[in-house]
Amino acid sequence: MADKRDYYEVLGVSKGAADDEIKKAYRKMAKQYHPDLHPGDKEAEAQFKEVNEAYEILSDPDKRAKYDQYGHAAFDPNSGFAGGGFGGFDDLGDILGSIFGGGFGGFGGFGGFGGGQRQTGPRKGENLRVNLTVDFEEAVFGCKKEIQVNMVEACSDCQGSGCAPGTQPETCSECGGRGSVVTTRRTAMGIMQSTGQCPKCKGRGKIIHTPCPTCKGAGRVRKPKTVSVSIPAGIDNGQTISLRGLGNQGVNGGPAGDLLVTVTVRAHPLFERDGSSILLDLPISYVQAVLGAEITVPTLTGKVKLNIPEGTDTGTVFRLKGKGVPHLNGSGSGDQYITVNIETPKNLSNAQKDALRAYAAAMEEAVPEKKKSGFGKKKK
């Protein structure tokens, strides 16, 4: 028992939490880690079991009192404190049934709570995830894109039944069409019931003697499909668009999953983005900074005029209001910020250097003397 986590920690509640708070925390976490939402995920399966175990103890006043006094040892048959079994999972089954509407069939074979839900009920289809790369301007102003998705849908030849045309499935005699079977066993902790997948029909509730040749009895096939995606103006790099009902088709009449499109935005050669702001580094000449000038500045919607006042320092930031990124799903746009950097002139002519020396003398600045040429000197 030393490796078990504290039950209050598992549910994320304090030790003095009220019953309603414990139930609310359980509903949230059971939905988060339910195996039907994470098929094949062993970590989610383990967390789901841990959450159920914690709630089974903390939702029962007597068991909670024992746990508060003795900890996990209260239910360890080797500790001397344990007494009674782990019956009474009805509340657990009711809660999960209200969360998932009975369509998540007996918790995927975990722990027989509430007598076992039907595994053959409707289940939501899996979500599909794709990545979509767009240009900088497409993300700013929005666009439409078409993407190819390999989507699971009902087999058109057998209409999703899994049977070859002209044949019918047989109801499983082992589970009576439920897809799950209940096993009862006596343990040191009392009589335990567990619900698991029917071994005969593999949880389907029916036996297909003549499978459909197209889908091999699965009832579903994977097909490529072209989907049109509207990229909203202002979407940023890494954000995800959810297209409801465009994922894989559900099972046994369940709703389809969603298509989740994660957007990657290509870098721009001039602009950078910070939320709804556009950033631009702009070089200006020394003369423009000293004397001031009206210059042309690029924006995402075209070129505009910007007034540089006299005596502008390098690193000065100017703002162009409304020239940024449109607010996602809102009104208005951000601003564009221009940081000016004064360029140091290079490869000046002698006349230009003399002019700068004259300027320095007028400003009473110390300047180096002219470099004398080394040519024409007499050798000693």
Side-chain angles (χ1 to χ4, degrees), residues 344-360:
T344 302
K346 297 177 177 64
N347 302 320
L348 297 179
S349 66
N350 289 332
Q352 291 169 332
K353 293 178 181 179
D354 288 340
L356 281 177
R357 290 190 183 92
Y359 164 78

Side-chain angles (χ1 to χ4, degrees), residues 170-228:
E170 175 191 347
T171 300
C172 177
S173 58
E174 184 79 14
C175 64
R178 295 179 64 87
S180 60
V181 291
V182 179
T183 303
T184 303
R185 59 192 178 93
R186 186 180 298 276
T187 70
M189 303 174 70
I191 296 176
M192 300 286 288
Q193 281 190 337
S194 62
T195 302
Q197 186 184 78
C198 176
K200 185 174 182 180
C201 66
K202 308 301 183 185
R204 299 189 66 171
K206 55 187 179 182
I207 305 296
I208 298 176
H209 296 288
T210 310
C212 170
T214 302
C215 65
K216 305 297 188 294
R220 302 195 300 169
V221 292
R222 188 177 296 276
K223 291 184 177 180
K225 188 173 182 180
T226 301
V227 178
S228 179

Side-chain angles (χ1 to χ4, degrees), residues 36 39 121-128 150-163 204 206 208 211-223 246-258:
D36 285 336
R123 298 199 304 273
K124 182 180 178 180
E126 301 89 353
N127 292 338
L128 293 177
N150 287 324
M151 188 178 299
V152 173
E153 58 184 35
C155 175
S156 58
D157 289 347
C158 66
Q159 306 302 316
S161 69
C163 297
R204 299 189 66 171
K206 55 187 179 182
I208 298 176
C212 170
T214 302
C215 65
K216 305 297 188 294
R220 302 195 300 169
V221 292
R222 188 177 296 276
K223 291 184 177 180
L246 291 183
N248 288 338
Q249 189 176 38
V251 179
N252 299 326
D258 302 331

